[in-house]
Amino acid sequence: FSLNLTADCNAVLKALQPIFQEQGMTETVHNWEEHGYLATYIKKNGSFANLRIHPHGLVLVDLQSYNDHTKGREEVDQLLNKVEERMKELFPGNIKRVKRLPAILRGGVIDRYWPTADGRLVEYDIDEVVYDEDSPFQNIKILHSKQFGNILILSGDVNLAESDLAYTQAIMGSGKEDYTGKEVLILGGGDGGILYEIVKLKPKMVTMVASNIDQMVIDGCKKYMRKTCGDVLDNLKGECYQVLIEDCIPVLKRYAKEGRMFDYVINDLTAVPISTSPEE
């Protein structure tokens, strides 16, 4: 709850206490005077709630319970509904925002929460672990999502889903570039998506330097990400393409020294492509 005015911490505590007491929860209150209150409520079944009241007008309620059934979720919703009703009675017209977040499920058989490269947390509707192996370089996961199809995740970094054709098309220029008869260099792209789409456009030659240096990524993708890569990863050399399982930095230095020229260079490297240490 975000209030339009400063909060009378004691009044908020007194108003909400009966709701938790009705649940048979044991209360412990910490008072930091100018820093507000923290009240914890513990139930005999191990469920507990934290009530944090900030004087500047922020009131937070966190509930944790071991309930994986509908009845348990209904009980949590009912308690939160009562808290919201009581707060609206206590601060009529003075609640700027009420935000209720969905439950975070911990310890599930399948992990549904994956951070983005820029630090945001995304919950996916993952229902199956399709592939999970450790290579000498990284952990490789391919998880199935009802919404996005199979998703490639490398060491916790979400790389690409089968539904991400728009990403592939955008990185290729959204149809504005003509690859017919051209020499193309792809840096990264171990999922094979860009290679598969460019080969359809009749280039002269495509060289893909799969910078993950990891054959196991290609092996996993060619088996479980075929909506993305088609059949181009079945062989590392085709009529108009070749795939190099090498570190792209030495390859680029070699090409520069040789004066090798390309019509297009497409960068599809990882979020952290270069490191001074072997990690990441």
Side-chain angles (χ1 to χ4, degrees):
F1 301 90
S2 181
L3 309 179
N4 288 319
L5 68 174
T6 58
D8 182 337
C9 297
N10 188 56
V12 174
L13 180 65
K14 296 298 182 185
L16 298 183
Q17 272 177 332
I19 297 173
F20 298 102
Q21 291 168 352
E22 288 167 7
Q23 301 293 318
M25 303 177 91
T26 304
E27 179 188 69
T28 304
V29 179
H30 303 272
N31 179 2
W32 294 294
E33 297 179 357
E34 72 271 17
H35 298 296
Y37 284 64
L38 169 65
T40 61
Y41 298 91
I42 302 173
K43 207 169 183 178
K44 288 183 179 179
N45 65 2
S47 301
F48 66 92
N50 292 325
L51 171 62
R52 182 70 171 95
I53 310 167
H54 296 269
H56 67 274
L58 181 65
V59 179
L60 305 174
V61 181
D62 293 310
L63 287 173
Q64 288 195 31
S65 62
Y66 184 69
N67 284 317
D68 55 358
H69 52 82
T70 303
K71 184 180 178 182
R73 290 194 293 270
E74 288 176 353
E75 289 175 356
V76 169
D77 284 338
Q78 288 171 6
L79 192 149
L80 291 175
N81 288 340
K82 289 180 180 179
V83 170
E84 187 171 333
E85 289 170 9
R86 191 68 55 83
M87 285 292 292
K88 288 178 178 177
E89 291 171 2
L90 191 62
F91 298 101
N94 285 310
I95 297 179
K96 182 166 53 179
R97 183 172 66 248
V98 178
K99 184 72 174 181
R100 189 184 297 190
L101 300 177
I104 295 177
L105 306 178
R106 296 178 171 90
V109 176
I110 299 175
D111 188 2
R112 306 193 310 188
Y113 303 93
W114 296 93
T116 62
D118 58 350
R120 292 172 291 121
L121 186 63
V122 179
E123 178 181 1
Y124 294 90
D125 58 344
I126 292 168
D127 59 2
E128 182 184 358
V129 178
V130 176
Y131 181 83
D132 188 356
E133 297 289 342
D134 288 313
S135 78
F137 305 99
Q138 59 199 330
N139 173 260
I140 306 160
K141 283 185 176 65
I142 298 177
L143 309 177
H144 180 263
S145 157
K146 296 174 185 176
Q147 182 178 5
F148 302 113
N150 286 347
I151 303 173
L152 174 65
I153 300 174
L154 300 179
S155 293
D157 182 28
V158 178
N159 275 236
L160 194 78
E162 288 181 314
S163 61
D164 285 337
L165 179 60
Y167 166 84
T168 300
Q169 291 172 335
I171 206 169
M172 289 171 55
S174 302
K176 298 176 183 178
E177 306 298 332
D178 182 9
Y179 294 96
T180 307
K182 302 295 175 59
E183 290 267 1
V184 182
L185 175 64
I186 302 173
L187 304 178
D191 52 73
I194 295 173
L195 178 61
Y196 180 53
E197 296 301 321
I198 287 187
V199 164
K200 296 177 185 177
L201 304 177
K202 308 299 181 185
K204 180 180 179 182
M205 175 57 66
V206 182
T207 301
M208 185 175 95
V209 187
S211 61
N212 44 58
I213 333 168
D214 203 335
Q215 180 69 49
M216 287 180 66
V217 172
I218 289 178
D219 291 342
C221 288
K222 73 181 181 184
K223 187 171 183 180
Y224 299 111
M225 299 282 291
R226 293 190 77 84
K227 288 182 181 178
T228 295
C229 65
D231 59 358
V232 293
L233 297 181
D234 291 351
N235 298 290
L236 297 183
K237 203 162 188 177
E239 193 173 307
C240 63
Y241 72 89
Q242 60 176 340
V243 178
L244 307 179
I245 312 296
E246 300 182 45
D247 186 337
C248 73
I249 303 301
V251 173
L252 288 175
K253 288 181 178 178
R254 185 171 74 241
Y255 284 168
K257 188 175 181 180
E258 295 171 353
R260 179 82 180 271
M261 302 295 288
F262 294 90
D263 297 297
Y264 290 95
V265 178
I266 297 178
N267 172 16
D268 191 29
L269 295 167
T270 58
V272 187
I274 300 172
S275 175
T276 55
S277 61
E279 288 79 27
E280 300 184 358

